[in-house]
Each structure stands twice: as C-alpha cells, then as structure tokens.
Amino acid sequence: MNAVNQRIVLLGPPASGKGTQADRLSEAFGIPHVSTGVLLRSECDRGTALGREADAATSKGLLVSDEFVVRIVANWMQEHGTRFLFDGFPRTVGQATHLDATLISLKSPLDLVILLELSDGAIRSRIRERISCLKCGATYSTSLHTHAEGDPCPRCGAVLVRRNDDASEALEQRLIVYRDLTLPVVGYYERTAPGIMHRIDAGEGSDAIFAELSRLVGNE
Ligand code: ADP
C-alpha cells in the first residue's frame, strides 16, 4: 500500500469548497485539519485584542497580517504536530516562504499542494446562498440543504449565520485580494515544488472532487 500524504495545503478562492473537502479528507485519512479563517474567527469571538485587530481586517475582506497568521499557525503546529491539512494558509508568498522555512527546520517538507479552481461567477452565486457556522466552520447552501439562517448547526449546535465578509462589498474585496496576493502563491509552488502541485476543477460535484482529492492524498 502507498504511504498517505501527510502535509497538505489546499488553496482556492472563497467558496471553492476548501473547508468542506478538508473536513471530509481529515475524517477519511485521520489528518488534522485547520482553517486559519476559523482560527481567526474564534480569536475574534474570544474578544482578544488580536481578535479585534483581525476582525477589522476580515470584515472588510482584507487579509490579517502575515506576522499574526504565522504566529497562530506556529501555535497550532506546536499543539498538533507536523501532520496537517491547511485550508486558507498560506495566503501570501510571505506566508508560504515562512512555512517552507519552518518545515525545512523540522525536516518535514510539504507533500501536496492542491488548488481548487472556480470562476468568479460561480463564487458569487455560491456565496449568495452560503450560511456558515462560526464555531466549527461548517458551511451550508440554502439552495442545496434545508438549513436556514438562525438554525442550529447540524454538526456542533451553534447558530448558522451569514458571515459579515460574505456581504457583496467585502466579497468583491476578497476576490481582488485573492487575485493579487494569493494567486502568486500558486506561482510560487509551481516554481519551487512543481512535482507536488495539482489543480482541480472546483465546479464539479462535491463527491467527484472528494474522489479526486482522495486519490492524491492516498497516493494512488
Ligand atoms: P474564505 O476561504 O471563504 O475566504 P476563510 O475562512 O478562509 O474564508 O477566511 C476568511 C478571512 O479570514 C479572510 O478573508 C481573511 O481576512 C482572513 N484570513 C484567513 N486566513 C488568512 C491568512 N492565511 N492570512 C491572512 N488572513 C487570513
């Protein structure tokens, strides 16, 4: 049997399904999943000074500083070790080079980088229908599921809401930030680690995407 890949980065624009697929992969392969968006929102919920600073950026669709994000990821790795499925990190070339330096010092290089690609039109229509759990990060579509805003999250029981950064103005800003700051991360991995970089069409159905991701993670 092939060894399962253990250190995985999922890249992709808002609503490309990174969180949903990372949850499924985490359950199927037993690899810890972490979303920096969820970590940042929980920091905001706890009302810390750093959380307030993060909220000021995320609610406008802007990125939180590299310095803050690499610190919360380093804390997460100290607690969980060097097997991970990162969703939403790295989001800038600065974060990617920092992650590389950390992994080199731990002699644990990345195994896989997967880009979930989705058109801006599909992103906008998915976000219009999206409700989210701010506690566990689960997302639901009001057209595909029977859940509505204000219902309890089927997974953890917290309340489902529309994220404030899913409002159209913040979303347009997130699309600009994605194009200007996060797409260069794809170029960075294509240059520095072409053998581990893969692209998947995120417009496919969720099960087809999961099957393709499972083949990559399982090294089939
Ligand atoms: P999505 O992928 O749907 O845009 P996320 O939950 O991953 O949502 O991120 C929400 C927001 O959290 C981002 O728009 C950004 O403001 C902030 N954020 C998340 N991850 C990072 C990161 N790695 N670096 C900087 N900011 C981040």
Side-chain angles (χ1 to χ4, degrees), residues 124-143:
R124 290 190 183 95
S125 72
R126 284 187 187 183
I127 292 276
R128 263 197 302 274
E129 295 169 353
R130 176 159 95 166
I131 47 174
S132 310
C133 174
L134 300 189
K135 187 155 173 240
C136 74
T139 57
Y140 301 91
S141 159
T142 50
S143 69

Side-chain angles (χ1 to χ4, degrees), residues 38-214:
V38 171
L39 290 183
L40 290 169
R41 282 189 288 278
S42 91
E43 198 74 35
C44 299
D45 276 355
R46 285 190 285 130
T48 62
L50 288 173
R52 282 195 295 278
E53 194 186 310
D55 188 47
T58 55
S59 58
K60 291 196 201 87
L62 301 172
L63 294 187
V64 173
S65 73
D66 284 357
E67 192 196 355
F68 180 23
V69 173
V70 299
R71 187 141 34 100
I72 61 169
V73 172
N75 290 343
W76 184 92
M77 281 172 78
Q78 253 176 8
E79 205 177 311
H80 295 86
T82 51
R83 297 168 65 242
F84 55 75
L85 252 162
F86 283 147
D87 143 21
F89 176 85
R91 236 173 169 100
T92 64
V93 172
Q95 292 176 17
T97 52
H98 195 282
L99 176 64
D100 271 352
T102 305
L103 295 177
I104 286 170
S105 72
L106 295 169
K107 297 190 170 49
S108 305
L110 274 182
D111 294 322
L112 270 182
V113 177
I114 306 170
L115 171 65
L116 296 174
E117 296 185 292
L118 193 64
S119 70
D120 284 1
I123 294 169
R124 290 190 183 95
S125 72
R126 284 187 187 183
I127 292 276
R128 263 197 302 274
E129 295 169 353
R130 176 159 95 166
I131 47 174
S132 310
C133 174
L134 300 189
K135 187 155 173 240
C136 74
T139 57
Y140 301 91
S141 159
T142 50
S143 69
L144 297 176
H145 304 103
T146 52
H147 314 298
E149 206 175 342
D151 285 355
C153 170
R155 196 162 72 184
C156 77
V159 182
L160 295 175
V161 296
R162 267 186 69 77
R163 273 169 43 182
N164 59 2
D165 61 341
D166 279 351
S168 60
E169 210 174 303
L171 174 63
E172 292 309 312
Q173 183 59 52
R174 282 156 70 202
L175 295 180
I176 294 170
V177 167
Y178 180 75
R179 189 193 61 213
D180 292 352
L181 297 177
T182 306
L183 273 181
V185 176
V186 176
Y188 169 83
Y189 285 124
E190 274 171 346
R191 277 194 313 282
T192 59
I196 64 167
M197 172 82 214
H198 301 266
R199 290 167 184 262
I200 288 185
D201 178 0
E204 302 274 324
S206 183
D207 289 345
I209 296 169
F210 179 64
E212 213 170 326
L213 286 168
S214 297

